[in-house]
Amino acid sequence: MFWATPQRWVGGAGGVVCRSRRRPGAPALTAAPRDYTYDGTFEGLLTVLFTVYDWRAAPNSIQPAAVAQTGLFAQPAHRETDEALAARVWDGLLRTMDQEARARLYHVFLSEDADRELLIFRYVDLALRAARDISENYANADVRRIQRLAQQMFREKHRMEAFVRFEKTADGLFHATIDPDFDVLPLIAAHFTKRYADQRWLIYDRRRHYGLYYDLMRTDVVRFEVNQPAASTDISATVLDEREPLFKLLWQSYFDHVNIPERKNLKLHRRHMPLRYWKYLSEKQPRETRFVPIQNKRPPGEAPAVLP
């Protein structure tokens, strides 16, 4: 389905040179368009991509079966996920693009963009039919959109790695609830597995109702049945470790004492730490005790301040 670029050696005035032939390209999609549906997984989407060229039928739409809305004239076609075909397509993509460009397709899928399936198809189809690498062909609207979505995913991933705050439960589990704009859990799993390899932890995506659980051996995907969305990111105080309020107080105290009020720049602060992330951060929660400056922060010989 995905072909390598053949080469031929050509003689000329300057000697023998290697000239790449034009890629054979993907087969013409001459059959009637189809409304493809799949199970919503990335492997399922790769199976659909294989089917498009196998059937020679362009997609009128590609939608998860659970939310599919078929067109009036296109023929519906549901495809069950085939792991072998998905792996074949995923490996074959490296013949038309490098690993970084291929990874961007997965990131676009995780972005949950409304048009992500057709966008990925158009990008792959363009790559198959082009004579050269298209990853930097920013004159093309689909290439620009792929790049923009991938950059948004990278920023969200970076911020989740920086802003996640854990709470310790009574049984020693470190728990964190997040609500990211994109489905970044698959992208942050390796970071937290490496960084917190000595403790059990659970990161739960409240919006998508699944999480990552690390049991000191491996990280697994876990899912929860939720009838109604939670109104808060907090967990019940009855399951927290009795020292957790102290940990929170110590962290807030540390944050307050290293802060320099004279250098406060709220605009810059919000740019690097947007408001929507503040609900995760202990230092951004209301203070239970009044902040009292450390008394030894004064020039030598100056009398200590007297508290009211």
Side-chain angles (χ1 to χ4, degrees):
M1 188 60 59
F2 295 89
W3 302 269
T5 303
Q7 295 179 338
R8 59 177 177 175
W9 293 91
V10 182
V16 179
V17 297
C18 177
R19 179 179 299 169
S20 296
R21 294 178 183 174
R22 184 177 180 85
R23 294 177 182 176
L29 304 179
T30 56
R34 300 288 188 98
D35 280 321
Y36 293 96
T37 59
Y38 69 110
D39 62 1
T41 66
F42 187 63
E43 291 76 12
L45 177 59
L46 293 178
T47 303
V48 170
L49 293 182
F50 180 93
T51 305
V52 166
Y53 296 103
D54 188 39
W55 292 358
R56 309 292 199 271
N60 181 63
S61 67
I62 306 175
Q63 305 173 77
V67 296
Q69 295 181 353
T70 58
L72 183 61
F73 300 105
Q75 302 179 31
H78 179 72
R79 291 296 292 157
E80 296 293 339
T81 298
D82 187 314
E83 298 286 348
L85 290 183
R88 178 177 171 183
V89 173
W90 186 243
D91 293 338
L93 288 175
L94 289 180
R95 299 178 182 176
T96 57
M97 62 187 72
D98 58 26
Q99 291 188 2
E100 183 178 351
R102 187 183 68 168
R104 283 198 290 268
L105 297 182
Y106 180 54
H107 295 172
V108 169
F109 179 81
L110 294 177
S111 73
E112 301 175 329
D113 183 82
D115 194 35
R116 59 181 179 170
E117 292 92 354
L118 284 179
L119 178 60
I120 291 173
F121 162 73
R122 291 195 299 267
Y123 186 93
V124 169
D125 191 66
L126 180 64
L128 288 173
R129 301 182 191 280
R132 62 187 63 183
D133 179 40
I134 66 166
S135 61
E136 296 184 0
N137 180 19
Y138 298 123
N140 183 277
D142 290 329
V143 175
R144 292 197 307 271
R145 191 173 175 190
I146 288 280
Q147 179 70 15
R148 183 171 63 254
L149 288 172
Q151 289 176 343
Q152 291 174 351
M153 285 294 299
F154 176 80
R155 286 195 295 267
E156 189 78 346
K157 168 185 177 293
H158 176 71
R159 286 169 173 167
M160 284 295 105
E161 292 173 348
F163 298 150
V164 166
R165 297 291 187 268
F166 289 98
E167 292 180 307
K168 188 177 182 180
T169 62
D171 64 352
L173 174 69
F174 288 85
H175 170 278
T177 301
I178 63 175
D179 187 16
D181 287 347
F182 307 117
D183 184 9
V184 296
L185 280 184
L187 303 183
I188 66 176
H191 169 82
F192 284 98
T193 300
K194 181 178 180 180
R195 184 170 183 180
Y196 301 104
D198 60 342
Q199 60 195 41
R200 294 188 305 117
W201 51 260
L202 169 68
I203 303 176
Y204 176 64
D205 188 331
R206 183 166 62 95
R207 182 180 304 188
R208 296 162 187 86
H209 308 308
Y210 85 101
L212 299 173
Y213 172 64
Y214 176 70
D215 63 357
L216 300 179
M217 297 295 293
R218 67 178 190 179
T219 303
D220 292 315
V221 173
V222 292
R223 297 191 178 275
F224 301 91
E225 295 294 335
V226 179
N227 296 326
Q228 296 180 349
S232 171
T233 59
D234 297 332
I235 60 176
S236 173
T238 59
V239 301
L240 291 176
D241 185 281
E242 61 181 6
R243 296 170 296 175
E244 183 59 34
L246 175 61
F247 297 152
K248 180 178 179 180
L249 179 62
L250 289 174
W251 178 250
Q252 290 179 342
S253 178
Y254 167 78
F255 178 82
D256 290 335
H257 284 98
V258 298
N259 184 37
I260 304 175
E262 293 78 11
R263 301 187 64 181
K264 185 176 182 179
N265 186 336
L266 191 57
K267 182 178 180 180
L268 179 64
H269 182 65
R270 287 178 174 173
R271 187 168 67 189
H272 289 288
M273 187 184 292
L275 282 171
R276 62 191 179 92
Y277 297 106
W278 288 16
K279 57 189 174 184
Y280 308 127
L281 308 176
S282 300
E283 60 269 28
K284 292 300 182 182
Q285 306 311 309
R287 300 296 191 262
E288 297 181 4
T289 59
R290 184 172 67 91
F291 169 63
V292 179
I294 298 177
Q295 295 306 303
N296 62 3
K297 284 189 173 182
R298 62 181 187 274
E302 181 179 318
V306 179
L307 295 177

